[in-house]
Structure formats: structure tokens, C-alpha cells
Amino acid sequence: MTNSFQNKAPLLEVDRLSVDYGLKGNSLRAIDGVSFVLRAGEAVALVGESGSGKTTTAMAIAGLLSPNARVSEGVVRYRGERLPIDDDAAMRPHRWSETSVVFQGAMNALNPVHRIVKQIAEPCMLKLGMSRAEATARAKELLELVGIPADRGAAYPHELSGGMRQRVMIAMALACRPSIIIGDEPTTALDVITQAQILKLLGELRSQLNLALILITHDLSVVAECCDRVMIMYSGRIVEDGTVAEIFADPKHPYTKLLIDSIPNPANGKKMIRPIPGDPPNLVNRPSGCAFHPRCPSAMAVCTTEVPSLDKFGQGRVACHLHQSLQNKVTVHA
Amino acid sequence: MRDTADILRLENLQVHFPIQGGLFDRVLGRPSGAVRAVDGIDLTIGRGEIVALVGESGSGKTTVGRVITKLAQPTGGNLLFDGRDMSSERGASPLRPYRRRVQMIFQDAYQALNPRHTVFDIVAEPLRSLRLVENDAQLTERVSEALTGAGLNPPGDFFARFPHELSGGQRQRVVIAGALAVKPELIVADEPVSMLDVSIRAQILQVLVDLRDKHNMALLFITHDLPLAWLIADRIAVLYLGKLVEIGSADDITYNPRHPYTVALLNATPQIGGDADRGKLPALQGEVPSAARVPKGCRFHPRCPLAFDRCRQEEPPANEVGPRHMSACWLAK
């Protein structure tokens, strides 16, 4: 199983990124040493439960962290060049034209008192220096691109359905021809049929425009439909990274395994789902060692004290002591 | 069918919300319409049976749940509970015995729990207001029992806690314990796990299935998620724009769907490793029309890839397509 993107030059490199949130004088580590590479045209999913750090990772990359967040370690590089992700003003030229974000709640992200065509035209005027007429023409083009008839551009957000609004969000994100789209749960608020339409649209746009996609989601089954690679996050760290086919056919991390087993899947006919015991950890008292150890059926003594590193394993990466000891044994005997 | 075994029976149940026209419309005598949220539903739930009601937003699934729990009034049809017509019953005290027997679990455990009450008081409230206990000892016993039943062990540890001290999964368990405390015969659960993290969902589903297995409790499980419905339910009823388009066993609906809308829902549902049956029908275009303007004939015809002339004119009846399997489609025979 080879990943066709592996030979391409990295578009985005996230290197040991850590973000802390300040809270009443304390600081909480939301993500802890997150590293990955995104290549042109590649679709990568960041999957995790609430509090896993998937949204913080994405917002850090886009330079959209909230004011009480601080990048405490690590760098993000775009085409080899370091991004000023903790400097709002310096980030401005990079947003929209390199990385755009499609947010979850399209109703909250759109301005209710402006016609949608005007909202899409705005970044074109500000960023690409277009005249109003040019920008309007571009906005209409973009509407057609996302499957909305150009004459609907005169509508206000409240006149559109949830699916249409999400299409408008995508059109806006595409306005300044970015090479990376970050989708933060872009289909979570939508019905399944609309969700399927939006996922199909994202897939089409991706191949048409050679877009790289970072999809933030809690839903592994959505990932199966539209991504090349998936990174599983737990309590602020990536615990497994692999191609979609690998992860679903042969998950390595116990958390990934349990997560897949807890999704009802009529395709395999098994009605039994295995609950994962316990609750996701909160950031205030993250368990020592591997954060998953209190819930892990295969936890060993070492898991309670040492954080497993995210090491290469097969085609992907996994952060689990089980596999580290396994791999060490292999090297010893070889 | 075994009439006596049914705990709940909906007969041609309707909920129409009138639309108040503007002054201009009234002066001109224009007819004001209605939102036909629930537009003639026939459904039975047996004792100890889990029925899933599946539909998209705007299909009317929540309204059905609200009518059953008497939080909304039907505008037509009958609601029979244990053989007795409850559709026109109203008022707090006549409904008190009914509320003991039918309970509801809401989706959002954050909003369903009073942040200023302890877990004990939250779970004790229905017992107190329905006057089901005589003294404090009894009350403590019933609250403990309910918390244990919802998987909060040991119950004493939770008595004095407030909702904000609990995790999302624990909060939903408290909501379930509140419903459970009065030992109802039917629970209506409206999207009980959709707000929860994936790793927690299975735990909560297990609690609900245990209630049925141990106490023969019937459950109406309202969801938009077909695989979830398949997992938990004995039967699935698929709702589209206020009307049931297909009812059948969970396996029949999932593996042998007989209505184009059910097929479309299944096709649209993202699945891990399962695409063998995809592509039989083209993906649906457009979105669910407004319940204020229900299409003539079969209400699904404007979006149906198989629609023909008859579908545009006549509304299809519920045809029996197999044992306890109905489909409201002219093509299903």
C-alpha cells in the first residue's frame, strides 16, 4: 500500500507544535507536540473527540487561535517558509490566499444583513485588489462552482437552507485561490443526504483545483468517504496516523481499534458494539504517561509513566508502547 | 397483530400548526395555510419493543415524540396508550398517571439538567411531583435504584454533585436516571446520543438496551442516524415530511429497503468499508421541501429518481411488502 502523495514536496509542515490555553492563571496544554506533513492535493483528516485538540491544531495552523492561547513550542511551515501563526497582523497575508477555513456553523459565520454575493466578493476586493464589478463577477463564478445558480447570489443567508449556506462558506473559502482548505466539522450540522452532497462537492473541488484538505471531524465514517489519510488524536496528541485503508483494515492503536468498533456498521453485519470504558480525559488532569492508559484494555506498567512517542510503524505512525516493544523485539532478533 | 401486546398505538396521527397570515392576506381573505409537521402516522410499539423513528430535520420526528409525551397536542387522529385514547387528555392532574408511565429523554443533557440542582434532586423531582414516594427513605432508595440503572455507580457518590461536575456521558446518564426513576413503561428518547462523543455512545446505548431487557420497557428511539437505529432497534420507521414512508424490522430496512427514500438515506450514510450496494440509485438532489407546502401526490416525488406520472397525482398507501414490512411507494408491491 503506497501513498501516492509521499513523493511530492511538503506543502505544509507542522513540527512539534504545542499550544497552551491560559485559564485563571493556570495554563492548560491543549495540543502537545503535534507533527505532520501535508502535501499538495492531499486530503487528511484529524479525528478526535471533544477536547482531543483537533480544532486547536487546525486553528493554530490558520493563525486563528483565541487570545488566551499561546503557541508554546514548534513551528508551522508553508512551502518551507515559517508561518507567523502567533502574530495576527503578520498572518493576514497568508490567510485566504494560502489557507482558508470552512467553519461548522454556516449561519453564524455569515453576515445576516449582507447578500451572499457581496460577502463572497469582499475577500476578492480586499485580497486580490479587484474592483467591485470584477469581484462580483468572480463571486458569481464561485457560486456556480459550488452548485448554486449565480442569480441566487442576491439572497440573504436566512433565505438559504443549511446545505446551501455551507456551499456559500465553501465558495468564500475558495475566493482567493488557496492551496489548503481546512474544514472544521463542515458537515456536522447537516442532514445525511446534504452531508453526502457537500462531501461530494469537496471531493470534486479538490481534484478540480488541486486543493489540499484538512478535515476536522469526530466522525470516522465521514473520513472513510473522502480522505486519503487520517490522524487520530487523543488528549492533545496524535496517537495514530495512516492511510484510510490501513487504519480501517488494520488499526494499530488500541484507541483507534475501540473507536472503530464503537461505530455501528451494517456493512459487517455485527450488531455488537464494544463500549470504551470511562470518559475522555479533561485537560486539567491529563493522565500521566499515555493519556489513554486508564481506558486501555492492553495497558502495561510503562503506559502509566512514559508518554509513548509517535514512531514510524509500517506505512504510518503510531504512539503506543505495545508497538514500540514489539518493534524493539523485532530489531533485537533481526 | 397482537393488539393487547401494544403499549402504544398511533392512528392517523396529525399535528398541523396553523400559519398566521399577514394583515394583507387576511384583508384579501387569502386562505391561511398550515405547517403539516405530522401528517397522518400509523405506528405501534409493543411492550418491551425498541422502535426507531428515523428522519431528517424537518421530518416531524421530534413532534411525534412530543405528542406521545403530551408536550404537544395532536390536531387529528388517535393516540392510544395501553388501549386507552389519550389524544384529547390535557392538564397536569389528569395526565399525572400517564406521565408516570411515559417518560422522555432529551438530546441535550446540558440543557435538560438544572445547573443549580444536585443530581439527587434532579432524579428525585419526578418522584416527588408525581407523588410516588411516601418518605425520605423510600425516596433515597428509588433515586439510588435509578442511578444504578443508568450506570452511575455507586449512586451515593453522585447525590451531592452538580451537573457541571459531571462529564457529558455522566450527564446523559443522569437524564436517563430521571426518566427511569418513575419506572415508566415507555420511554421516548429524542436523539439521546447525538451530542455525545463516539466513545461514550455505546455505553449509553447499552444502558437503554438493558432497561428493555431487565424491565421490559418499550423505547421509541428518535434519530437521524440509520446505522444507529439498526444497531439498537427491533423495528425502524422512516419518516419523510410528516409521513411514514417505510416501516419494517431493523434488518429489513437496512438490508432490504423498499422505499426510494430509505435507499437514498442508506446510500448517503457514510460507512466504513461498505460500498457494495452503493450506486443503485443516483444520489438525491435538492433538500426536504417545507412542511407548509407539501407536494401533491407522493410527497417524495419531486426528489425521487424513480418517480412517474402516478406519483405526481396520487398519494401511495402503505403497501405490505413482507411480514410486518410496509412501504408507501407505488413501486413497492
Side-chain angles (χ1 to χ4, degrees), chain A residues 200-220:
Chain A
K200 186 163 165 265
L201 173 70
L202 280 174
E204 286 165 0
L205 292 170
R206 223 187 106 201
S207 53
Q208 214 176 322
L209 309 170
N210 194 33
L211 282 170
L213 181 70
I214 302 177
L215 185 76
I216 314 296
T217 180
H218 66 280
D219 189 346
L220 261 176

Side-chain angles (χ1 to χ4, degrees), chain A residues 49-50 161 191 197 266 271 276, chain B residues 57 197 199 203 230 255 287:
Chain A
E49 302 180 79
S50 39
S161 66
D191 281 316
Q197 292 167 353
K271 282 220 179 180
I276 306 182
Chain B
S57 38
D197 274 320
S199 74
Q203 301 175 7
W230 166 78
Y255 299 120
E287 281 157 24

Side-chain angles (χ1 to χ4, degrees), chain B residues 57-122:
Chain B
S57 38
S59 61
K61 56 188 191 298
T62 297
T63 307
V64 172
R66 289 174 57 87
V67 167
I68 294 170
T69 47
K70 297 297 288 177
L71 297 171
Q73 200 60 17
T75 51
N78 296 316
L79 164 70
L80 294 146
F81 181 81
D82 203 7
R84 188 162 159 227
D85 188 3
M86 298 300 298
S87 30
S88 50
E89 295 281 328
R90 50 194 346 175
S93 87
L95 279 173
R96 195 168 287 143
Y98 183 72
R99 300 220 188 278
R100 193 196 63 70
R101 301 174 73 185
V102 181
Q103 282 285 316
M104 182 147 188
I105 296 169
F106 294 95
Q107 170 174 15
D108 192 345
Y110 290 75
Q111 287 181 28
L113 299 177
N114 188 327
R116 306 180 65 158
H117 285 186
T118 61
V119 167
F120 185 90
D121 284 331
I122 290 166

